[in-house]
Amino acid sequence: MRLMMWQAAEQTRNQRLRMNKTAKLEIDGKVYELPIVIGTEGERAIDISTLRRDTGYITLDDGYANTGSCLSRITFIDGEKGILRYRGIPIEDLAHNSTFVEVAYLIIYGELPNQKQLKRFSDLLTQNENLHEDMKFHFEGFPYNAHPMAILSSMINASSCFYLDLRGPYDPKRFEVEAARIISQVRTIAAFSYRKSLGLPIIYPKPTNKYTANFLHMMFSEPYQEYPLQPEVVRALDLIFLLHADHEQNCSTATTRFIASSQANLFACAAAGVCALWGPLHGGANQAVIEMLQQILETGDDGSKFITEVKDKKSGKKLMGFGHRVYKHYDPRAKIIKQRCDQLLKVLHREDPLLDIAKRLEQAALNDSYFIERKLYPNVDFYSGIIMRAIGIPLEMFTVIFAIGRMPGWIANCREIMESSDSRIYRPRQIYMGQTERPYVPIEERT
Ligand code: SDX
């Protein structure tokens, strides 16, 4: 019965996609009709896939702020209302009831796993948690102070060298193992790179540990003593991973889709996603927020001076962790993380002056016309660093934590492309603004 209801709903959905509404475009006196696509949540788009063929024109949209690159069934965001859902389930429900591993399965395969499916997925994560032993030599090659995002991206690709069956047409069975292997190993690579940066012995994963607990074990245990796993700490980090798991066509996810569209393997897609995420305007913002708060603390500013500087464009300063291309309201993830900050610090009997500064900055910004007019609110990165500091994650690892969390989202988006029989290579056009045709000038004639 449920399957029939789902099929009927799917049919309605597809009908909505094919609604025969059109948009009219007039160019040089000629009117062209372009199909309108309506998504299951009422989002509307003008399908321009035949525009160049019919009109000779292309569109131009710097930063793709107005351009939909694909039809996707994974994540829905309503930026005006501050809504985020993974496969239709609100992020608030998942944050309250689920775990990162269960959400990873949901995002990749489309449904919450039953007991049998969850056990199989967890077992695959355990079976694939170790790196090939020869990977140790790669770690030796990095300088001790190499940024862990550089190590992460290169080691994901290095790991792929040990699995020769990566190529070939999409095979669900092979995909299932590869997906689990990358999600599991990204955690191991991250922990190993942290240990190497401090000259500490590598701590291997323990098969009896669950995903997030194992990461903390590999990061902070010693050969002579186990890291004491506090449930609140494990749960707080698991929540950070869960909240970062996907976010529709953000910069790094769009990057992984580009790579998947050329039919490169899943490891190559994941390694590219890490590189895109590294930027301070994207995943690097969580590190930049803490650096900003530390600087404010050190100057003795209560935050008001910094806010004044941010509003003066000449300063070039931004309120890191604020603003978003899609959210023009409070990022729902930021709300959840902010609550968890207070809870965790209370449980750990700790205070963090940076949290107090962050809260003061938030209050000031939310009541300041500069931010209100530009609809700038806290995003996922504004408070996440406070939790990571409380857990003892070093600043340089903050974006690595984001990458571990986002891995299921990247993999799910790549799967959407790999599964689609009619997917095409991503190849945007451009408008050329360079020199018009001119002759080659021999060097002796050049001034
Ligand atoms: C993530 O896409 C995703 O989904 C990303 C992400 C995910 O889960 O994958 O949510 C994760 O990347 C969150 C964003 C993390 N980055 C930051 O916190 C860096 C600080 N934020 C800004 O750099 C900025 O808000 C962006 C990059 C997030 C969004 O940039 P946009 O959409 O290109 O916005 P914009 O630069 O056009 O800004 C519009 C106006 C400008 O002022 P005016 O020219 O209109 O006068 O708002 C101003 C901007 O100067 N502005 C800010 C600001 N962000 C925008 N002013 C001060 N501080 C800021 N943070």
Side-chain angles (χ1 to χ4, degrees):
M1 182 59 184
R2 282 184 61 207
L3 179 63
M4 281 168 64
M5 282 172 63
W6 184 83
Q7 281 166 337
E10 191 67 4
Q11 202 176 12
T12 313
R13 264 194 284 270
N14 288 334
Q15 276 160 0
R16 289 178 65 149
L17 279 180
R18 279 195 301 275
M19 275 185 77
N20 54 11
K21 276 189 160 185
T22 60
K24 290 181 176 53
L25 176 66
E26 182 176 342
I27 303 176
D28 303 333
K30 190 173 175 196
V31 176
Y32 300 88
E33 295 215 23
L34 297 166
I36 285 179
V37 172
I38 300 181
T40 50
E41 290 288 346
E43 293 168 302
R44 285 159 301 173
I46 299 168
D47 181 343
I48 57 168
S49 41
T50 60
L51 182 72
R52 189 168 187 275
R53 182 199 66 189
D54 298 347
T55 71
Y57 280 72
I58 63 169
T59 58
L60 191 58
D61 182 21
D62 179 36
Y64 301 117
N66 304 283
T67 298
S69 62
C70 60
L71 299 174
S72 178
R73 287 177 160 77
I74 303 169
T75 291
F76 172 68
I77 299 174
D78 182 324
E80 279 64 37
K81 296 179 187 151
I83 291 173
L84 169 60
R85 300 187 198 128
Y86 293 157
R87 298 287 188 179
I89 303 176
I91 193 68
E92 295 81 3
D93 290 359
L94 292 167
H96 185 68
N97 300 300
S98 192
T99 64
F100 172 63
V101 167
E102 186 177 75
V103 160
Y105 185 97
L106 167 72
I107 284 174
I108 294 171
Y109 298 106
E111 295 294 338
L112 288 167
N114 59 32
Q115 297 280 4
K116 189 164 165 268
Q117 290 163 332
L118 184 58
K119 177 158 184 350
R120 176 174 170 75
F121 187 53
S122 299
D123 289 348
L124 277 175
L125 291 172
T126 302
Q127 290 151 21
N128 288 280
E129 64 193 6
N130 270 310
L131 305 176
H132 189 288
E133 199 58 16
D134 289 351
M135 286 277 283
K136 260 188 335 196
F137 302 111
H138 292 286
F139 281 107
E140 302 297 336
F142 291 106
Y144 77 93
N145 56 355
H147 197 288
M149 285 296 273
I151 298 175
L152 187 63
S153 180
S154 21
M155 295 299 264
I156 288 171
N157 260 326
S159 183
S160 73
C161 300
F162 296 93
Y163 310 111
L164 301 180
D165 60 346
L166 284 181
R167 299 195 57 75
Y170 175 72
D171 163 5
K173 270 247 168 297
R174 192 183 73 214
F175 170 87
E176 187 191 22
V177 172
E178 273 172 30
R181 184 174 283 156
I182 295 173
I183 291 172
S184 197
Q185 288 193 359
V186 70
R187 172 195 49 169
T188 310
I189 293 170
F192 283 17
S193 66
Y194 168 67
R195 303 286 296 181
K196 288 302 293 168
S197 72
L198 296 177
L200 296 172
I202 276 177
I203 300 293
Y204 286 88
K206 269 179 79 172
T208 49
N209 278 342
K210 291 282 181 207
Y211 188 89
T212 302
N214 226 347
F215 174 69
L216 290 166
H217 159 68
M218 289 189 277
M219 285 280 287
F220 300 124
S221 285
E222 296 302 343
Y224 49 85
Q225 77 180 39
E226 292 258 321
Y227 170 76
L229 291 166
Q230 293 170 273
E232 301 81 5
V233 170
V234 177
R235 182 77 193 107
L237 184 57
D238 196 77
L239 178 66
I240 291 279
F241 288 149
L242 184 155
L243 291 173
H244 285 79
D246 192 49
H247 212 242
E248 59 143 89
Q249 299 310 310
N250 59 84
C251 177
S252 53
T253 299
T255 300
T256 57
R257 284 185 83 111
F258 259 90
I259 312 289
S261 77
S262 74
Q263 296 185 1
N265 69 71
L266 209 50
F267 284 78
C269 299
V274 170
C275 295
L277 187 71
W278 194 357
L281 294 189
H282 189 14
N286 54 21
Q287 177 174 343
V289 167
I290 295 297
E291 288 163 347
M292 171 188 77
L293 296 175
Q294 277 169 331
Q295 193 190 34
I296 292 170
L297 180 66
E298 282 153 20
T299 55
D301 172 18
D302 65 359
S304 52
K305 185 166 166 288
F306 184 78
I307 289 283
T308 308
E309 288 171 350
V310 164
K311 289 158 61 178
D312 171 8
K313 292 281 182 197
K314 292 192 291 301
S315 77
K317 290 187 177 177
K318 285 188 185 286
L319 181 53
M320 299 311 277
F322 254 69
H324 200 276
R325 173 63 57 79
V326 176
Y327 288 122
K328 299 310 170 191
H329 202 286
Y330 216 107
D331 182 334
R333 302 167 297 176
K335 263 187 210 158
I336 295 166
I337 292 176
K338 182 181 176 184
Q339 285 161 4
R340 188 50 67 101
C341 284
D342 290 323
Q343 289 168 14
L344 184 63
L345 290 174
K346 198 166 159 208
V347 162
L348 297 177
H349 309 296
R350 280 211 209 132
E351 289 183 2
D352 187 345
L354 299 191
L355 179 57
D356 302 333
I357 295 175
K359 286 181 177 176
R360 280 205 300 274
L361 286 174
E362 177 188 344
Q363 272 320 304
L366 295 186
N367 293 292
D368 184 302
S369 59
Y370 173 92
F371 298 89
I372 296 168
E373 283 158 14
R374 292 169 178 81
K375 298 184 178 178
L376 303 175
Y377 291 86
N379 60 50
V380 66
D381 294 306
F382 193 61
Y383 287 107
S384 57
I386 303 292
I387 288 187
M388 291 191 264
R389 268 164 59 91
I391 292 172
I393 307 275
L395 191 58
E396 291 69 39
M397 292 282 289
F398 281 12
T399 311
V400 169
I401 298 296
F402 192 147
I404 295 172
R406 185 54 50 89
M407 202 53 79
W410 291 337
I411 289 171
N413 276 271
C414 294
R415 180 169 181 258
E416 262 192 343
I417 289 187
M418 292 169 178
E419 273 210 328
S420 155
S421 53
D422 58 1
S423 77
R424 303 174 69 196
I425 191 165
Y426 281 23
R427 203 278 184 212
R429 307 296 297 234
Q430 64 162 29
I431 294 294
Y432 176 68
M433 300 300 284
Q435 295 272 3
T436 50
E437 185 173 3
R438 56 181 176 149
Y440 175 81
V441 178
I443 190 155
E444 51 278 6
E445 294 171 23
R446 294 173 210 159
T447 52

